[in-house]
Amino acid sequence: MLSLKMTEMWTTIGSTLASFMFIWAIIRQYCPYQLLRFFEKYSHRIMDYFYPYIRISFHEFLGDRLKRSDAYGAVEAYLSANTSKSAKRLKAEIGKDSTNLVLTMDEYERVTDDYNGVKVYWVCSKVMAASRSMPYYQEQEKRFYKLTFHKKYRDTITGSYLDHVMKEGKEIRLRNRQRKLYTNSPGYKWPSYKQTMWSHIVFEHPATFETMAMEPEKKKEIIEDLVTFSKSKDFYARIGKAWKRGYLLFGPPGTGKSTMIAAMANLLGYDVYDLELTAVKDNTELRKLLIETTSKSIIVIEDIDCSLDLTGQRKKKGESKFFSDDENDNKANFDAGRKEVKEEGSGGGSSKVTLSGLLNFIDGIWSACGGERLIVFTTNYVEKLDPALIRRGRMDKHIELSYCSFNGFKVLANNYLRVEKHALFESVERLIGEVKITPADVAENLMPKSPMDDADKCLLNLIEALEEVRGKSGLIKEHDEEVECVSSVIKENGEFVDDDEKEIDEGKKQIER
Ligand SMILES: Nc1ncnc2c1ncn2[C@@H]1O[C@H](COP(=O)(O)OP(=O)(O)OP(=O)(O)O)[C@@H](O)[C@H]1O
Ligand SMILES: [Mg+2]
């Protein structure tokens, strides 16, 4: 009882001193600097003498760091789970899967926590401070949590209690985490006081590997690869490699590249950073974006072949064989001009991201920060890419997504129609083996077009579509054969000569003889 009263007394003294501090802050504005230093020095000493409590602050952003502090996040999660029952003023936010509400302490709210009989106090607070990144003077909110405890418990608190808070907070964060889809907002000029260059929405894509149409063995191999990666923290540390892995997804449009990225994110519970390369000003900005990504995430660059003219440098290297130095210079100028035009045309403004900037982004020294990250490129034209960009070690796994096979169709039939066996499957199997049709087209044909459409109707629609594709490809084949007949090109002595020319040549030779 007595100790409770003593605690309360000290807390009152604490808050009185806090009021003095506030007045002190006002005085500071008007006193000369030397006088201020003097008062500051002695006021702290007096306070320390009378005030037996220790305080630890957990700031949301530390110094000029761009990244939100992990410790702040862990404390926030820990307090929201452990003290929301005792706090009187709470903030509510929609939690994971948009189903539940997550309650956290409101600003300036104070709660107590009991750890092995030791009482500690947590306050959620904020201060206004001038930001260094501001072009002009402007104040910015800086939030922090403050932990207060008696100095006789210093060892217990700084030792095991803080470990306990961090560990539990991180676990809670992981459990309650609402996954996010980030973008670097093309064309959007973020205000300089905004802390992050990424904008985000909640990631709610329903794709899973189960619903992906592809060969079962290939699917199994990719899943195993991903799961192994996510559990390999120690392995990567042992071999001295940054904990990240590159995937190159290539194949024709509509074969499931974007869908697979969503399935990967859902499998591992990762966030997705959809990087729009044309909206990145230069290599420095690319690096800043990289630093701001968190671990447990997938960084995606879709259609890498169209993102920037990243093939320019490769051309320059190769061309020296065929052009003189002057010609090479002219060609380089032309390429540079064309690149600028292309980038401006593609909405990228004056993007100056280079191939080496991008390579640095993937596996430079900065790419190791954060860890546990996948980098995924997608392309329709793998052959267009610079080999340096996709070599193993950078893009560790190359995955081809191709036209729909019968196994792929069965997955889609199960997804869309809930059928695993059907009399019409035989016809589909025969036709699908003969034509090239993307899973996106198969899916579209299996989609019921009216409430009356049953599995029979949808399968018949698909068979019709397959026959149509076969008819078209038959025509194309016939046309190709005709073209071949007409030109009847034959290769002779490394030159292409058509039949008529060949006869004339033969005639000339005979005359010469
Ligand atoms: N392998 C697949 N498994 C399941 N659904 C698929 C598959 N491929 C495509 N689809 C369906 O087709 C649609 C388009 O696929 P997606 O956007 O993933 O293709 P993509 O390969 O990324 O195409 P693009 O090269 O044009 O970006 C998806 O919404 C999905 O419903
Ligand atoms: Mg896509």
Side-chain angles (χ1 to χ4, degrees), residues 205 208 211-214 251-261 302-303 378-380 401-402 404 408 411-412 415-416 438-441 443-444:
H205 201 295
T208 61
T211 59
M212 282 233 40
M214 60 193 298
T255 48
K257 297 180 290 298
S258 306
T259 312
M260 180 175 278
I261 294 168
E302 288 253 37
D303 299 316
T378 75
T379 181
N380 295 139
L401 287 135
S402 191
C404 197
V411 175
L412 292 174
N415 294 348
Y416 285 76
T438 62
D441 283 334
E444 180 51 31

Side-chain angles (χ1 to χ4, degrees), residues 258-439:
S258 306
T259 312
M260 180 175 278
I261 294 168
M264 285 172 158
N266 286 333
L267 176 76
L268 300 176
Y270 285 4
D271 290 326
V272 177
Y273 286 87
D274 188 5
L275 178 62
E276 180 54 56
L277 217 47
T278 52
V280 184
K281 209 166 73 216
D282 50 25
N283 295 340
T284 316
E285 194 170 292
L286 188 64
R287 193 162 55 226
K288 272 191 207 157
L289 282 162
L290 172 73
I291 300 163
E292 277 191 29
T293 59
T294 51
S295 63
K296 291 194 181 293
S297 62
I298 306 182
I299 302 173
V300 180
I301 305 181
E302 288 253 37
D303 299 316
I304 182 81
D305 53 298
C306 313
S307 289
L308 289 178
D309 192 4
L310 296 169
T311 50
Q313 304 200 354
R314 177 185 52 177
K315 278 180 201 151
K316 257 186 249 164
K317 269 188 228 160
E319 275 160 7
S320 56
K321 285 189 227 155
F322 307 104
F323 291 91
S324 69
D325 283 350
D326 282 351
E327 277 171 326
N328 261 338
D329 283 347
N330 289 340
K331 194 81 180 27
N333 289 340
F334 169 73
D335 276 348
R338 198 186 52 180
K339 187 176 165 188
E340 259 175 45
V341 171
K342 187 176 170 187
E343 282 163 12
E344 269 166 28
S346 63
S350 53
S351 180
K352 290 195 189 99
V353 174
T354 60
L355 180 63
S356 67
L358 188 61
L359 299 184
N360 224 359
F361 174 84
I362 305 165
D363 60 1
I365 274 189
W366 290 90
S367 69
C369 65
E372 199 174 358
R373 255 191 306 230
L374 298 177
I375 297 174
V376 182
F377 288 172
T378 75
T379 181
N380 295 139
Y381 307 99
V382 68
E383 66 285 349
K384 274 195 193 176
L385 298 179
D386 194 308
L389 192 61
I390 56 169
R391 71 148 167 80
R392 306 282 162 166
R394 243 175 221 132
M395 290 293 113
D396 304 277
K397 198 156 174 66
H398 295 192
I399 300 170
E400 181 174 12
L401 287 135
S402 191
Y403 294 102
C404 197
S405 63
F406 181 60
N407 279 327
F409 154 76
K410 283 201 285 190
V411 175
L412 292 174
N414 196 19
N415 294 348
Y416 285 76
L417 310 173
R418 291 268 151 255
V419 288
E420 284 178 14
K421 276 182 194 157
H422 196 283
L424 290 172
F425 272 22
E426 215 174 290
S427 314
V428 175
E429 184 172 11
R430 187 173 40 80
L431 282 164
I432 223 163
E434 292 173 19
V435 301
K436 283 179 176 174
I437 187 165
T438 62

Side-chain angles (χ1 to χ4, degrees), residues 50-303:
F50 286 110
Y51 193 67
Y53 282 82
I54 294 172
R55 285 173 300 186
I56 302 175
S57 300
F58 297 83
H59 288 265
E60 188 176 15
F61 292 95
L62 291 174
D64 276 350
R65 270 197 233 168
L66 297 169
K67 226 177 123 208
R68 196 173 189 247
S69 146
D70 283 344
Y72 179 90
V75 169
E76 186 177 53
Y78 174 83
L79 292 179
S80 87
N82 289 287
T83 58
S84 58
K85 285 191 198 104
S86 61
K88 289 190 178 144
R89 284 181 303 115
L90 298 157
K91 271 188 298 193
E93 212 188 326
I94 291 280
K96 194 183 174 189
D97 303 332
S98 316
T99 49
N100 59 332
L101 276 179
V102 175
L103 300 175
T104 48
M105 284 162 67
D106 205 353
E107 271 143 22
Y108 305 117
E109 179 63 352
R110 201 185 78 147
V111 291
T112 49
D113 190 22
D114 210 316
Y115 179 71
N116 296 340
V118 177
K119 213 168 212 171
V120 298
Y121 306 89
W122 284 99
V123 182
C124 171
S125 199
K126 67 175 180 192
V127 286
M128 299 302 285
S131 166
R132 279 204 216 167
S133 56
M134 300 287 174
Y136 47 89
Y137 182 81
Q138 195 172 343
E139 285 202 322
Q140 191 184 2
E141 254 182 32
K142 296 209 166 184
R143 280 191 292 262
F144 62 93
Y145 283 101
K146 195 158 66 187
L147 168 69
T148 311
F149 54 91
H150 198 284
K151 62 183 176 193
K152 68 180 171 193
Y153 301 121
R154 179 191 277 267
D155 291 345
T156 316
I157 302 301
T158 53
S160 56
Y161 176 68
L162 285 182
D163 274 356
H164 158 77
V165 171
M166 289 299 120
K167 194 162 167 265
E168 203 170 302
K170 278 181 188 166
E171 275 167 18
I172 296 165
R173 267 182 96 188
L174 220 56
R175 266 202 314 271
N176 292 344
R177 195 162 75 113
Q178 197 173 42
R179 284 183 305 116
K180 290 174 181 155
L181 171 61
Y182 294 85
T183 174
N184 56 322
S185 320
Y188 175 66
K189 295 271 177 290
W190 48 84
S192 51
Y193 56 84
K194 206 175 154 199
Q195 298 272 11
T196 173
M197 290 164 86
W198 294 96
S199 317
H200 71 263
I201 54 163
V202 175
F203 179 74
E204 288 176 322
H205 201 295
T208 61
F209 274 98
E210 256 171 50
T211 59
M212 282 233 40
M214 60 193 298
E215 293 304 316
E217 308 84 57
K218 198 168 175 182
K219 198 188 283 193
K220 191 164 164 260
E221 185 198 316
I222 298 168
I223 293 174
E224 277 174 5
D225 190 272
L226 288 164
V227 173
T228 310
F229 167 79
S230 70
K231 292 182 181 163
S232 303
K233 186 178 181 182
D234 294 341
F235 172 76
Y236 277 83
R238 202 180 69 226
I239 60 170
K241 211 169 170 248
W243 190 16
K244 64 189 171 62
R245 192 157 171 80
Y247 282 79
L248 174 72
L249 309 185
F250 64 98
T255 48
K257 297 180 290 298
S258 306
T259 312
M260 180 175 278
I261 294 168
M264 285 172 158
N266 286 333
L267 176 76
L268 300 176
Y270 285 4
D271 290 326
V272 177
Y273 286 87
D274 188 5
L275 178 62
E276 180 54 56
L277 217 47
T278 52
V280 184
K281 209 166 73 216
D282 50 25
N283 295 340
T284 316
E285 194 170 292
L286 188 64
R287 193 162 55 226
K288 272 191 207 157
L289 282 162
L290 172 73
I291 300 163
E292 277 191 29
T293 59
T294 51
S295 63
K296 291 194 181 293
S297 62
I298 306 182
I299 302 173
V300 180
I301 305 181
E302 288 253 37
D303 299 316

Side-chain angles (χ1 to χ4, degrees), residues 10-38:
W10 283 120
T11 319
T12 320
I13 293 172
S15 36
T16 317
L17 283 173
S19 314
F20 277 123
M21 291 291 286
F22 177 71
I23 298 165
W24 172 238
I26 296 172
I27 295 170
R28 276 171 66 163
Q29 293 223 327
Y30 304 100
C31 275
Y33 182 75
Q34 298 295 340
L35 197 64
L36 266 178
R37 296 298 318 148
F38 178 81

